[in-house]
Amino acid sequence: MAEAFTFDLVSPERRLAQLEVSEVQIPGADGDMTAMPDHAPTITTLRPGLLRAVHSGGTEEYIVSGGFAEIGSVGVTVLAEQALPRREMSQEIYDGMVAEARRAHEKAREFHNEPGPVDDAAKLLSDMVAIGGHIGLTPSQ
Amino acid sequence: MPSLKDLKNRIATVKSTRKITKAMQMVAAAKLRRAQEAAEMSRPYAERFNAVMAQLAKSVGDSDNAPKLLAGTGKDDVHLLIVMTAERGLCGGFNANIAKLAKKRADELAGAGKTVKILTVGKKGRDSMKRGYSEHFIDHVDLTDVKRVGYEDAQGIAKNVLDRFDAGEFDVATIFFSEFQNVVTQIPTATQIIPASFDTEGKDEQDGAPTLYEYEPSEEEILADLLPRGVATQIFSALLENAASEQGARMSAMDNATRNAGDMIEDLTIEYNRSRQAVITNELIEIISGAEAL
């Protein structure tokens, strides 16, 4: 059993988790990363994805979207704009999230002159769809 | 001199009023507990968020390409006042106090030659700000249907505000809300949210040297991503503070009303008994003098 550190997952509305964990897999904006004890202090933004926290009693999984993670000397704090435990995820919630990302994408496409927002929205959309692949849900059309 | 019947009716009216105010007080107490819990739940997020933002702002803020949300547009000609009040009344001076603070600021700014724009959240604030300040009024966010404020509501407001900022409609945005101290004290507060200001005071910075973080992606990108979220976060905490304050204010207002109704019932009962006695005395005098006359 590896050395443990604290992992906090907070959303604006509630604190979802406060655990002693041995590793946390974070869906960072530039790629996934796994934080283990004595990780270099890092701050990264999140992309929509699956966050895994491994502790002595098993693995907790959360769907997170938006926000950032702070890996510090004492532990990992994830501040996610949207976060919910994987077991609370349902087809309806997932559809809602995908639909929202799709709307944002459509809206961004209306402004043709700036590629930045469109790319961001497209990435958000594909990330959202990718979550489904991880947890066995497909967006219903 | 009201008749006995009138007095009796009035007592009955005040009694039913007291029942209503008592019920409202108890409902407010229950809601207050929930609102306070919600406010407490949101605190860890807001605190961590601000701490990280303050750190980022310190390292990026001085550079020339700092985002506008942080550095400002370079002018402060147009001020947006976001007045957040309750959807409903009967909560003492709660709505009035917030509106008063906002109006005072609006007058000050107008006096200094600035342009003032007003966006209201909550029906009571709109009604109040429309009186006399309607020419500054630009938009209203309706939360009547919202039972319990969620982060999405705050995001909606933040998006409205940010879109206006991007369109160059204003330079400085300030939110007006009531900070919850306790059930009897709510402090109307004004907080500037754009350009962002993070107070790092109050936090002890004595835990050694600040940790040097690696940033992924770059500091600038993270800041650009987080600043709009920061606006939503601040609006969200303000909404929650407001919700707690509203219930607190309503609770104490209704407590007062219940007590006043009690006093009134006492006074009316005394008056009722006096006039009842007077009527009886009168009748007795009539009978006695009638008997003597025989």
Side-chain angles (χ1 to χ4, degrees):
Chain A
M1 179 69 213
E3 207 183 322
F5 58 98
T6 41
F7 161 66
D8 278 301
L9 175 62
V10 284
S11 77
E13 280 163 22
R14 59 185 173 145
R15 165 174 264 145
L16 281 103
Q18 191 167 31
L19 304 165
E20 288 292 316
V21 295
S22 53
E23 65 172 82
V24 184
Q25 292 166 21
I26 300 162
D30 281 1
D32 286 8
M33 58 164 85
T34 300
M36 297 183 85
D38 297 323
H39 193 285
T42 305
I43 289 177
T44 178
T45 47
L46 301 177
R47 68 178 159 76
L50 203 58
L51 186 131
R52 274 198 197 91
V54 181
H55 58 99
S56 51
T59 304
E60 302 288 331
E61 291 184 314
Y62 303 92
I63 314 289
V64 294
S65 165
F68 63 93
E70 182 194 8
I71 303 167
S73 46
V74 286
V76 174
T77 312
V78 177
L79 292 109
E81 209 149 73
Q82 276 183 312
L84 74 166
R86 179 173 164 177
R87 59 180 174 279
E88 285 177 25
M89 190 72 173
S90 67
Q91 183 75 43
E92 291 102 83
I93 302 178
Y94 178 62
D95 282 343
M97 285 164 85
V98 172
E100 198 174 304
R102 190 163 286 149
R103 263 200 304 280
H105 184 218
E106 297 290 327
K107 207 165 170 202
R109 271 210 305 223
E110 287 170 18
F111 303 99
H112 301 288
N113 46 357
E114 282 176 73
V118 184
D119 292 347
D120 288 348
K123 187 168 181 307
L124 188 75
L125 178 58
S126 57
D127 283 337
M128 279 291 176
V129 174
I131 295 181
H134 287 299
I135 60 173
L137 292 174
T138 43
S140 47
Q141 296 302 321
Chain B
M1 186 79 182
S3 75
L4 275 183
K5 196 158 181 252
D6 289 344
L7 275 174
K8 216 172 184 176
N9 283 343
R10 276 193 68 193
I11 291 174
T13 319
V14 178
K15 267 189 181 158
S16 62
T17 309
R18 185 175 62 172
K19 261 186 213 151
I20 295 170
T21 54
K22 181 91 193 156
M24 280 185 77
Q25 185 209 334
M26 289 195 300
V27 170
K31 282 191 179 163
L32 171 69
R33 199 162 335 121
R34 247 184 297 150
Q36 258 179 305
E37 267 166 29
E40 250 151 57
M41 298 272 244
S42 79
R43 221 157 276 160
Y45 185 86
E47 270 169 18
R48 294 300 310 147
F49 198 95
N50 283 342
V52 171
M53 290 300 278
Q55 210 163 13
L56 276 169
K58 223 187 298 167
S59 56
V60 181
D62 301 330
S63 64
D64 297 333
N65 54 358
K68 273 188 180 174
L69 279 174
L70 183 65
T73 52
K75 342 174 258 214
D76 67 336
D77 298 336
V78 186
H79 285 250
L80 178 71
L81 309 184
I82 305 164
V83 185
M84 317 222 291
T85 53
E87 290 292 341
R88 296 201 281 160
L90 286 181
C91 42
F94 173 74
N95 291 315
N97 285 343
I98 298 173
K100 200 163 76 186
L101 184 72
K103 283 178 180 172
K104 198 173 138 225
R105 176 65 65 88
D107 289 340
E108 275 170 18
L109 289 171
K114 316 274 189 206
T115 312
V116 177
K117 289 181 176 177
I118 294 172
L119 187 148
T120 57
V121 180
K123 205 170 69 195
K124 286 287 156 186
R126 181 189 58 186
D127 298 348
S128 170
M129 297 311 284
K130 274 220 165 154
R131 248 172 277 134
Y133 293 83
S134 52
E135 71 272 22
H136 302 305
F137 186 84
I138 52 164
D139 199 6
H140 171 69
V141 179
D142 192 63
L143 295 179
T144 321
D145 301 329
V146 177
K147 284 249 156 50
R148 203 176 164 174
V149 281
Y151 191 65
E152 305 86 62
D153 302 315
Q155 272 178 317
I157 299 169
K159 199 173 170 309
N160 185 332
V161 172
L162 289 171
D163 284 349
R164 288 174 194 282
F165 184 73
D166 289 339
E169 285 188 37
F170 64 89
D171 303 311
V172 181
T174 314
I175 47 175
F176 292 83
F177 64 101
S178 207
E179 202 183 306
F180 183 82
Q181 288 278 309
N182 52 47
V183 179
V184 277
T185 330
Q186 297 90 29
I187 305 166
T189 315
T191 310
Q192 182 181 318
I193 54 167
I194 299 174
S197 59
F198 301 98
D199 56 0
T200 40
E201 300 161 42
K203 284 241 160 65
D204 296 25
E205 301 228 354
Q206 281 153 2
D207 38 7
T211 326
L212 283 173
Y213 284 101
E214 275 174 34
Y215 295 95
E216 218 185 275
S218 66
E219 287 183 346
E220 284 84 5
E221 272 176 75
I222 292 188
L223 201 58
D225 183 46
L226 292 189
L227 277 168
R229 299 184 201 279
V231 173
T233 306
Q234 273 178 306
I235 290 178
F236 184 57
S237 354
L239 278 177
L240 289 175
E241 288 281 334
N242 240 7
S245 301
E246 181 196 343
Q247 299 306 339
R250 178 166 296 129
M251 203 174 120
S252 47
M254 287 301 119
D255 188 39
N256 279 338
T258 310
R259 213 169 303 143
N260 284 344
D263 292 349
M264 209 165 172
I265 290 171
E266 245 168 61
D267 292 349
L268 284 172
T269 313
I270 290 172
E271 207 186 324
Y272 173 75
N273 286 343
R274 276 215 191 108
S275 35
R276 192 173 58 104
Q277 262 173 345
V279 170
I280 294 171
T281 317
N282 254 343
E283 279 172 7
L284 278 177
I285 290 170
E286 272 164 29
I287 294 169
I288 293 167
S289 46
E292 269 174 5
L294 280 176

